[in-house]
Amino acid sequence: MTNDPTIRNITVVGTGVIGNGWITRFLANGYQVTAFDPDPKTEEKTRAAVERAWPWMEKMGLHKDASKDKLIFHSNLEEALKEADFVQENVPEREEIKRKVIADIDTYAKEEAIIASSTSGILPSSLQADCHNHPERIIVAHPFNPVYLMPLVELVGGEKTDAHAIEKARSFYDSLKMKPLVVRKEIEGHIADRLMEAIWRESLHIVNDGVASTDEIDSSIIYGPGLRWALMGPFMTLHMGGGKEGMRHLLEQFGPALKLPWTKLEAPELTEELADQVITGCEAQTAGIEMEKLEDRRDQFLIELQQLLEKYWPGSTLSGKL
């Protein structure tokens, strides 16, 4: 996959965990990256984050033009955006902040630059609301952590988004060895986060009701549906659960159970007692292990899992991979 020739310079606005993940991925794919963050300590943190993640990018495979030296910082947003062909915004997940920052980016960025927000739940139409220059180039491009390794990015357009902006972004992220998913309609939380939130809410109820610990819940996913979901997703997994007649038989047999009160849907009240159970449970699972070692274990697993998945990809559609 070759890089988009119209995109040479990328500006990343906001350099927390997600922003640094994007920076690493962009650099590994040969791009010139300009970073902006009002925190004066951010450059040191970002360069350290890139340095730490770089060995994993080497294992994944670097672009021939990849270089950590292609990262520069600007303390002025207007200057940081001057050469940008593509802008990735990652400021804190508060709508008023994101709207203000994106409106500023829209003011300063050149007309042809796509502006993509990493928001995990805010609607793109809301993000466009204060943009008076070119709101048609504002999109959501929601990644997953660690951004430098996780392939999924959800692309969502708002009421004013031009279809060309979505298609250009889709092609761009595809060139980054990602799996861009164009969401047909804007909805809070997009797709994957809504599904994760549903499991998260039920998990909190199970802990709160004394049914299982955090470790037991994690094990139930890791050694149960998680193994199948990595290849097939929830629909194909259930389709196969219906035997030769697939989903038709499964819905006939188990459809009525959907009305049974197996799930609670609404999250439980996050009391101090529940919070303490969750926190102490997670701390017990990771006792004596530094977070960096957990990250290394996760990243090595993600690389090996993606290498395996490439043999079967795309598992969700089974197109020619049987």
Side-chain angles (χ1 to χ4, degrees):
M1 180 64 66
T2 57
N3 290 347
D4 185 332
T6 67
I7 299 176
R8 297 179 300 277
N9 300 299
I10 302 172
T11 294
V12 174
V13 178
T15 60
V17 172
I18 299 301
N20 290 339
W22 276 124
I23 288 170
T24 302
R25 190 155 203 144
F26 295 149
L27 291 172
N29 281 275
Y31 287 99
Q32 177 71 46
V33 180
T34 300
F36 168 80
D37 193 298
D39 182 353
K41 299 179 181 178
T42 192
E43 181 171 356
E44 181 181 354
K45 294 178 182 178
T46 294
R47 292 194 185 278
V50 172
E51 194 68 39
R52 174 162 169 70
W54 203 253
W56 302 115
M57 305 314 297
E58 292 175 330
K59 286 191 175 185
M60 287 288 284
L62 296 174
H63 187 277
K64 63 181 179 63
D65 297 323
S67 173
K68 291 176 285 185
D69 295 331
K70 288 187 172 183
L71 172 62
I72 61 173
F73 276 79
H74 271 298
S75 58
N76 179 277
L77 179 60
E78 184 174 0
E79 285 296 317
L81 293 166
K82 189 168 290 185
E83 301 298 326
D85 302 307
F86 199 99
V87 183
Q88 191 77 45
E89 171 273 314
N90 319 278
V91 300
E93 192 75 1
R94 288 170 52 189
E95 185 170 331
E96 67 274 15
I97 294 177
K98 283 191 177 288
R99 283 176 57 162
K100 171 65 168 64
V101 170
I102 288 174
D104 289 341
I105 295 171
D106 181 51
T107 298
Y108 299 131
K110 55 189 180 184
E111 180 178 347
E112 62 270 24
I114 302 294
I115 302 172
S117 173
S118 296
T119 178
S120 59
I122 302 172
L123 298 178
S125 291
S126 297
L127 299 177
Q128 296 170 332
D130 302 322
C131 298
H132 304 297
N133 284 0
H134 298 285
E136 71 278 0
R137 40 85 173 270
I138 311 294
I139 68 167
V140 163
H142 173 233
F144 293 82
N145 187 46
V147 182
Y148 51 87
L149 291 181
M150 291 288 280
L152 181 63
V153 56
E154 295 175 312
L155 306 184
V156 195
E159 295 173 359
K160 299 176 182 179
T161 303
D162 191 293
H164 171 72
I166 291 288
E167 177 53 31
K168 185 171 183 178
R170 187 204 61 76
S171 177
F172 168 61
Y173 290 116
D174 192 47
S175 76
L176 298 176
K177 304 174 186 175
M178 300 188 81
K179 305 294 179 183
L181 172 62
V182 178
V183 180
R184 300 183 184 190
K185 295 172 62 177
E186 59 179 335
I187 184 173
E188 292 89 348
H190 321 313
I191 297 175
D193 270 3
R194 291 177 72 93
L195 297 174
M196 290 193 299
E197 279 288 318
I199 294 176
W200 172 233
R201 286 193 296 270
E202 292 305 313
S203 298
L204 289 174
H205 276 294
I206 290 171
V207 171
N208 197 47
D209 294 343
V211 176
S213 67
T214 59
D215 181 50
E216 291 163 344
I217 292 170
D218 284 349
S219 295
S220 76
I221 296 296
I222 293 168
Y223 302 114
L227 287 171
R228 297 175 297 186
W229 287 345
L231 175 65
M232 295 179 284
F235 279 106
M236 188 57 64
T237 295
L238 292 173
H239 178 63
M240 294 184 67
K244 291 183 178 180
E245 296 182 19
M247 185 63 76
R248 184 180 303 278
H249 174 70
L250 186 131
L251 287 178
E252 289 175 355
Q253 184 171 358
F254 296 107
L258 293 173
K259 293 294 184 180
L260 296 177
W262 286 5
T263 58
K264 300 190 178 183
L265 298 181
E266 291 187 8
E269 182 181 353
L270 192 58
T271 62
E272 288 187 15
E273 181 181 1
L274 175 55
D276 184 62
Q277 284 182 278
V278 173
I279 293 168
T280 56
C282 291
E283 289 177 346
Q285 286 177 253
T286 59
I289 306 173
E290 295 180 356
M291 187 61 72
E292 287 188 351
K293 289 186 177 180
L294 290 173
E295 291 171 349
D296 287 344
R297 180 173 180 265
R298 175 202 65 192
D299 290 358
Q300 183 62 48
F301 174 79
L302 287 173
I303 289 175
E304 293 181 20
L305 182 59
Q306 287 185 68
Q307 290 170 344
L308 175 63
L309 282 174
E310 282 296 333
K311 294 171 60 177
Y312 300 93
W313 215 302
S316 59
T317 59
L318 304 178
S319 57
K321 295 295 181 81
L322 293 178

